[in-house]
Amino acid sequence: MNENRQYITITELNHRLSSLISQDNILQDIPIVGEISAVKIVRGHMYCTIKDENSAIPFIVFNINSFQYIPNEGDKILSIGSPNFYEKTGKVSFIAQYIEPFGIGKLYAEFEQLKKKLSAEGLFNEIHKKQLPKYPTKIGVLTSKQGAVIKDIVSTIRRKNHLINIELIDIAVQGENAVKDIINGLKLADEQNYDVIILARGGGSFEDLMPFNDEQIARTIFEMKTCLVSAIGHETDFTITDFVADKRASTPTAAAEIVAYSVSELTNDINDFMFNIEHKINLKILKAQQKIFSKGKDIQYLADRKINNYLSLLNKYVEKINILNPNNILQKGYFKIKKDEQEIY
């Protein structure tokens, strides 16, 4: 370099900046959080942007297919890596060495991973699901005694049926004690000889519903001997309990509709059944009477025919006897002449 020169070249500047960044230990293997956008994958490498509310930086993942998790457009992620200054173009980018979903994205990824695992083990297979009883008399409801869920279930059942016994097992449906509480409640309910059990909670965020995505809860449900209906959240919410349960209801109210039969409809069905039975019995009696009448006519006909045959045969015998009767012969003009006891003509 010329000592009298009052400037540095772009190459020198970029080299110095690159050295500053690469030699700063604070900037090596750092975790960052941001949202992915403008995703492009070229020759197995992913090029995109990671951003937050105020700033953005190019984001590069080499050999993306070797990563367990591949982010999509709009995903919020946590990544570990280092910034890199590319001397040739003077651009800074972040080179990722590790990626995982962040926040809800991470929870959803864990949900999908567990769902895939349990499905592969057969916990969701229809062959293991128990049939709902048609006419239950005793129903157990696992939910919080606080809130509207239990009230909605009871009122919905009572609109259709006043005969079913409904018992509540109070459990926590969210929070740090929820998983343990739900498992204990399921085991307790399974020993109460219920015809069917409803596991229910109202709507909430994905995070609020996470206790129902617990692996141990899923395995507890799978081992139960009592038919279980899962009614978690709203119609668009799906949890692991929905997949492993014997029946999934879109809402707690829908669960009540599913398990409760209508007394008035059953009464009408019984009346219709009795009417049909009576009609069939009367029809059979009528057919039997017709058959007996028909058989009676046949017997009378055969008897008359037989009597006539006997009378005809008897008449023939009578005729023969009459023919051989000597009086009848004499009546026809035959005679004999005797003299001194001797026949002369």
Side-chain angles (χ1 to χ4, degrees):
M1 180 182 293
N2 189 340
E3 293 182 358
N4 296 323
R5 193 176 59 177
Q6 299 299 314
Y7 62 88
I8 61 173
T9 65
I10 302 302
T11 300
E12 291 170 337
L13 173 63
N14 284 357
H15 180 72
R16 176 63 64 88
L17 292 173
S18 177
S19 296
L20 288 173
I21 292 175
S22 62
Q23 292 174 13
D24 189 342
N25 291 331
I26 294 177
L27 297 178
Q28 306 308 306
D29 297 325
I30 57 174
I32 63 170
V33 172
E35 182 182 314
I36 295 295
S37 64
V39 176
K40 292 182 181 179
I41 296 179
V42 181
R43 298 189 184 91
H45 309 309
M46 188 177 80
Y47 301 90
C48 57
T49 299
I50 188 168
K51 61 183 180 179
D52 58 19
E53 293 82 0
N54 302 309
S55 302
I57 188 173
F59 187 82
I60 301 173
V61 185
F62 294 115
N63 300 316
I64 185 64
N65 292 325
S66 65
F67 283 69
Q68 184 176 3
Y69 166 70
I70 300 176
N72 295 310
E73 187 84 17
D75 285 356
K76 193 171 185 179
I77 67 164
L78 181 147
S79 177
I80 297 176
S82 305
N84 176 72
F85 186 85
Y86 188 48
E87 294 183 26
K88 187 173 182 179
T89 60
K91 291 184 178 179
V92 177
S93 59
F94 189 87
I95 310 299
Q97 302 298 328
Y98 172 81
I99 311 171
E100 70 173 35
F102 183 79
I104 294 178
K106 182 177 182 180
L107 294 176
Y108 188 77
E110 292 172 351
F111 164 79
E112 287 294 334
Q113 187 176 5
L114 178 59
K115 178 182 170 184
K116 185 176 180 180
K117 174 186 175 182
L118 297 181
S119 178
E121 292 183 26
L123 269 69
F124 305 157
N125 198 312
E126 288 292 328
I127 197 172
H128 300 302
K129 297 189 181 300
K130 296 173 282 294
Q131 293 294 318
L132 282 170
K134 193 170 184 180
Y135 302 113
T137 59
K138 186 179 179 183
I139 294 176
V141 181
L142 270 71
T143 191
S144 172
K145 66 180 180 181
Q146 308 297 330
V149 170
I150 185 60
K151 294 178 182 177
D152 289 343
I153 290 175
V154 171
S155 62
T156 300
I157 292 176
R158 286 292 175 253
R159 279 198 298 269
K160 300 172 64 177
N161 191 304
H162 60 279
L163 302 176
I164 295 175
N165 293 322
I166 307 168
E167 295 183 6
L168 169 68
I169 296 180
D170 182 33
I171 58 171
V173 293
Q174 69 181 70
E176 59 181 15
N177 295 323
V179 170
K180 182 179 178 181
D181 224 27
I182 293 168
I183 291 173
N184 290 337
L186 288 169
K187 290 180 178 179
L188 174 62
D190 200 31
E191 299 300 324
Q192 302 304 308
N193 296 318
Y194 294 124
D195 295 313
V196 63
I197 298 169
I198 299 174
L199 175 61
R201 73 147 285 161
S205 67
F206 188 77
E207 295 98 319
D208 292 338
L209 302 182
M210 280 306 293
F212 298 91
N213 292 322
D214 181 81
E215 181 174 355
Q216 291 307 310
I217 290 178
R219 296 192 182 279
T220 300
I221 293 173
F222 184 74
E223 296 295 330
M224 291 175 66
K225 63 180 183 292
T226 311
C227 180
L228 184 129
V229 177
S230 175
I232 310 301
H234 299 302
E235 187 173 357
T236 56
D237 297 322
F238 282 88
T239 63
I240 295 297
T241 60
D242 292 325
F243 295 108
V244 74
D246 299 300
K247 183 75 175 179
R248 185 244 176 189
S250 57
T251 63
T253 302
E257 291 282 356
I258 289 172
V259 301
Y261 64 93
S262 170
V263 171
S264 61
E265 289 180 5
L266 178 60
T267 302
N268 292 335
D269 290 343
I270 292 174
N271 289 335
D272 290 342
F273 177 77
M274 296 302 294
F275 175 80
N276 290 333
I277 290 293
E278 182 181 6
H279 175 72
K280 288 179 179 179
I281 290 174
N282 290 334
L283 189 61
K284 283 185 177 293
I285 291 173
L286 179 61
K287 287 182 177 180
Q289 289 174 338
Q290 291 175 342
K291 191 173 183 179
I292 291 170
F293 179 74
S294 177
K295 288 288 185 182
K297 289 181 66 177
D298 291 342
I299 292 171
Q300 183 66 45
Y301 170 76
L302 292 173
D304 290 344
R305 185 176 175 182
K306 211 151 200 168
I307 291 170
N308 289 333
N309 288 340
Y310 284 136
L311 289 174
S312 177
L313 185 61
L314 180 62
N315 288 333
K316 288 181 181 180
Y317 287 142
V318 170
E319 287 178 2
K320 286 183 178 181
I321 292 171
N322 288 333
I323 291 172
L324 297 176
N325 188 339
N327 291 326
N328 289 338
I329 295 174
L330 292 174
Q331 288 176 2
K332 291 180 179 180
Y334 293 96
F335 63 92
K336 289 182 181 181
I337 298 174
K338 290 183 180 181
K339 183 179 180 181
D340 299 327
E341 299 299 325
Q342 289 186 352
E343 186 176 316
I344 59 174
Y345 183 82

